[in-house]
Amino acid sequence: MKINLRVWRQKNPEIDGKMVDYQLDDVSEDMSFLEMLDVLNESLSVSGEEPVAFDHDCREGICGSCGVVINGIAHGPEVTTTCQLHMRSFADGDTIDVEPWRSGSFPVVKDLVVDRSSFDRIIQAGGYVSAPTGTAPDAHATPVPKKDADHAFDAATCIGCGACVAACPNGSAMLFTAAKITHLGLLPQGQPERDSRVIGMVDQHDAEGFGGCTQIGECTAACPKGIPLHTISRLNKDLLGALARGEG
Amino acid sequence: MAIKTLSPRAQASRSTVALKALMAVSGLIMVTYLLIHMYGNLKFFQGQERFDSYLEGLRNILYPYLPHGGALWILRVVLLGAVIAHAYSAVALWRRARTASARQGAKRYHSNQNRRGVQRSYASFTLRWGGIIILAFIVFHILHFTAGVLHPGGDTDSKYQAMVNSFSIWYVTLAYVVAILAVGFHLRHGLWSAFATLGANTSTKRRRNLNIFATVLAVVIAGGFLVPPLSIAIFGYGS
Ligand code: HEM
Ligand code: SF4
Ligand code: FES
């Protein structure tokens, strides 16, 4: 298939970038989106041009490093990661716009690569449990209701890709933050630090400059892992509760 | 950044989540008022005498424990506080959102495709400008019916007559219809958002139900407000 690409090219964080047109004449619909970009980069290299920089690692939808905005939608038209998106989702002759995540808190490093270390700092502000490590305890030592375990596990599938921020009209990272609050808050191991966790993570979320949530839901629609919107309601309740309890 | 010197708790009580909760609570106070106000307006259909004496009766709530009009002034102070809290948090969150989204909100991508996102509603992206329209309307509305500074169609002591006079003029009715529709859209997203912000959204099913509830209440409030002016404007009711 023939594809007209418009790709964001930006040399470094200091200078502004622009959309640049490329044409690919021989794209297979079985290629993944990243393989299509690989093909573009090969031809750019051959003609002595700078290849397009983009992030990727596992290419199987689990690491969260890939992710670009395709035709204005984070990760493109299917609800999956960019690496798991295939060219059959597009039609022959389509024009495809490819841009980096845009957020004040995700500065562009180069082309399609953004700096997502703000996410790491949110996790560092409380997205963990302080537990003595050692040999793994027996699986049934601390019983967890099935429903809670399932919901905690669903929330734990967040891969930290940042699509939620890219999709949010307010540039909020609440879905990412709430996924971790929900994951740990539903489990017994997460209880001792529950209040200080939500306070620390929300403070860091705000300090990083992310916007506030207005319950629009674009994040959850873009999330490749289907993290549900009600995790955010849960975070809010936890934060308001923690403030009311006066601890943490 | 001065904010770094605050304790984590103090900082969290000023966070986007706390601001949003303030917005939700102040919004819900105003919604409660709107429901009562809308219901009261429907007494218009009981005729001039009963409508005007109902409005007079509002001034005598809890009289003689409160002075004449006292209850109304308490209500006004509460509502003014709610408006200020609501507008303050709206502006603070709006500014944050602009910084967080490279100053352009949802329009920050160059692509012309999917400009309206995947699923966000008309009501959700008109919230901010809609709020400003409503604020401007509230000022006009108070000058019109409460203070009586503006009296399109002729000055009168009867609020019933003032309604008939005003809504017999097409552009006054139009202004009210626009404002009420703006309130309807504002409530359609705002109500859902307020409930979710306060922690009521606990599942995907609950999300759907809260949205249905918000839509129904928005339609009831906007619809109820629309009936008196439209009856006057279209069917010449009361004249
Ligand atoms: C008729 C009176 C009003 C009522 C009943 C009302 C009600 C509400 C409610 C319940 C919300 C949802 C709160 C939330 O999102 O958690 C909301 C949101 C909002 N209101 Fe109002 N409101 C009114 C007037 C105003 C005015 C006068 C302004 C102008 C400053 C305004 C600006 C906003 C904004 C900007 C939002 C959304 C902010 C955001 O979520 O980004 N509202 N409103
Ligand atoms: S919540 Fe979803 S979209 Fe956001 S970082 Fe996690 S996996 Fe990505
Ligand atoms: S490259 Fe790992 S999720 Fe796409």
Side-chain angles (χ1 to χ4, degrees):
Chain A
M1 55 204 280
K2 243 169 102 160
I3 295 293
N4 303 305
L5 281 175
R6 291 175 66 226
V7 183
W8 181 258
R9 301 303 310 261
Q10 179 173 345
K11 271 208 172 63
N12 60 53
E14 280 75 43
I15 58 170
D16 204 18
K18 60 172 193 296
M19 300 297 278
V20 178
D21 291 322
Y22 299 103
Q23 219 188 53
L24 290 178
D25 292 327
D26 196 18
V27 173
S28 154
E29 58 180 25
D30 295 328
M31 283 178 184
S32 75
F33 199 85
L34 297 187
E35 282 165 341
M36 183 274 294
L37 290 180
D38 290 338
V39 169
L40 169 69
N41 278 346
E42 271 170 34
S43 70
L44 288 178
S45 299
V46 166
S47 58
E49 287 176 63
E50 183 87 3
V52 178
F54 62 89
D55 257 334
H56 61 100
D57 187 22
C58 70
R59 296 209 177 195
E60 42 186 46
I62 53 173
C63 74
S65 41
C66 67
V68 288
V69 171
I70 303 166
N71 292 341
I73 301 178
H75 287 306
E78 313 281 344
V79 183
T80 184
T81 53
T82 302
C83 61
Q84 292 295 297
L85 176 69
H86 288 83
M87 295 312 292
R88 53 181 163 270
S89 299
F90 301 90
D92 191 24
D94 269 5
T95 297
I96 305 178
D97 303 321
V98 192
E99 299 171 68
W101 291 166
R102 289 193 195 283
S103 150
S105 312
F106 286 166
V108 173
V109 176
K110 187 180 181 186
D111 298 335
L112 304 174
V113 177
V114 297
D115 176 357
R116 280 170 292 192
S117 52
S118 47
F119 267 17
D120 300 336
R121 291 187 291 272
I122 292 178
I123 295 295
Q124 281 162 4
Y128 49 78
V129 292
S130 309
T133 51
T135 51
D138 287 337
H140 61 296
T142 314
V144 181
K146 170 93 167 78
K147 205 170 123 251
D148 289 353
D150 286 351
H151 285 154
F153 190 82
D154 287 346
T157 58
C158 167
I159 52 177
C161 63
C164 40
V165 176
C168 177
N170 301 310
S172 177
M174 270 303 156
L175 195 67
F176 166 77
T177 310
K180 193 50 68 197
I181 293 293
T182 302
H183 164 204
L184 299 176
L186 276 169
L187 298 174
Q189 294 85 346
Q191 298 314 311
E193 289 157 305
R194 189 161 161 184
D195 284 359
S196 61
R197 172 181 309 115
V198 71
I199 288 176
M201 289 181 77
V202 167
D203 283 353
Q204 193 61 37
H205 169 279
D206 285 6
E208 295 294 345
F210 291 107
C213 170
T214 60
Q215 303 289 347
I216 286 175
E218 286 292 295
C219 51
T220 188
C223 175
K225 297 297 157 182
I227 302 295
L229 197 58
H230 56 253
T231 55
I232 297 179
S233 212
R234 192 184 167 84
L235 174 148
N236 287 8
K237 205 169 158 186
D238 270 15
L239 184 80
L240 297 175
L243 288 177
R245 278 188 289 279
E247 289 155 23
Chain B
M1 284 224 301
I3 214 152
K4 284 277 178 228
T5 62
L6 293 175
S7 77
R9 253 181 59 78
Q11 212 175 316
S13 63
R14 290 162 177 73
S15 63
T16 50
V17 175
L19 277 175
K20 195 60 196 317
L22 178 65
M23 179 176 287
V25 171
S26 56
L28 289 177
I29 291 173
M30 292 189 274
V31 177
T32 311
Y33 167 75
L34 279 188
L35 256 180
I36 299 168
H37 183 11
M38 181 275 286
Y39 175 75
N41 284 3
L42 293 176
K43 291 187 193 292
F44 173 80
F45 294 104
Q46 294 183 332
Q48 178 155 15
E49 203 176 311
R50 291 183 64 184
F51 185 67
D52 283 341
S53 66
Y54 150 72
L55 290 179
E56 186 51 33
L58 291 182
R59 272 117 190 116
N60 294 328
I61 293 172
L62 287 183
Y63 186 82
Y65 304 103
L66 292 173
H68 182 77
L72 226 49
W73 277 106
I74 293 174
L75 176 73
R76 283 173 188 154
V77 170
V78 170
L79 282 178
L80 186 65
V83 168
I84 291 171
H86 201 77
Y88 167 78
S89 39
V91 170
L93 287 171
W94 192 347
R95 290 180 54 171
R96 274 197 72 94
R98 283 182 60 77
T99 317
S101 59
R103 307 223 156 270
Q104 293 151 48
K107 297 196 199 77
R108 61 194 186 271
Y109 295 106
H110 287 255
S111 180
N112 290 319
Q113 307 182 48
N114 302 297
R115 273 277 180 234
R116 296 238 161 132
V118 181
Q119 53 85 56
R120 67 207 182 91
S121 61
Y122 183 76
S124 74
F125 63 79
T126 51
L127 219 49
R128 291 171 182 154
W129 289 107
I132 286 172
I133 291 176
I134 294 168
L135 190 61
F137 164 76
I138 292 171
V139 173
F140 160 70
H141 181 56
I142 290 174
L143 291 176
H144 182 192
F145 280 121
T146 310
V149 176
L150 303 169
H151 30 74
D155 202 359
T156 159
D157 280 341
S158 157
K159 300 264 150 122
Y160 180 94
Q161 196 55 47
M163 277 174 76
V164 174
N165 292 351
S166 299
F167 296 128
S168 302
I169 304 171
W170 69 269
Y171 54 83
V172 178
T173 306
L174 182 68
Y176 271 79
V177 168
V178 169
I180 293 165
L181 290 180
V183 169
F185 279 114
H186 202 83
L187 294 186
R188 164 44 222 123
H189 184 81
L191 276 167
W192 136 255
S193 180
F195 295 137
T197 296
L198 295 177
N201 180 23
T202 51
S203 67
T204 307
K205 190 170 161 214
R206 180 66 78 82
R207 179 182 175 190
R208 193 172 57 240
N209 290 340
L210 286 176
N211 269 295
I212 293 172
F213 179 69
T215 309
V216 169
L217 204 56
V219 169
V220 166
I221 291 180
F225 271 121
L226 281 174
V227 175
L230 290 184
S231 307
I232 295 167
I234 298 174
F235 303 113
Y237 194 94
S239 52

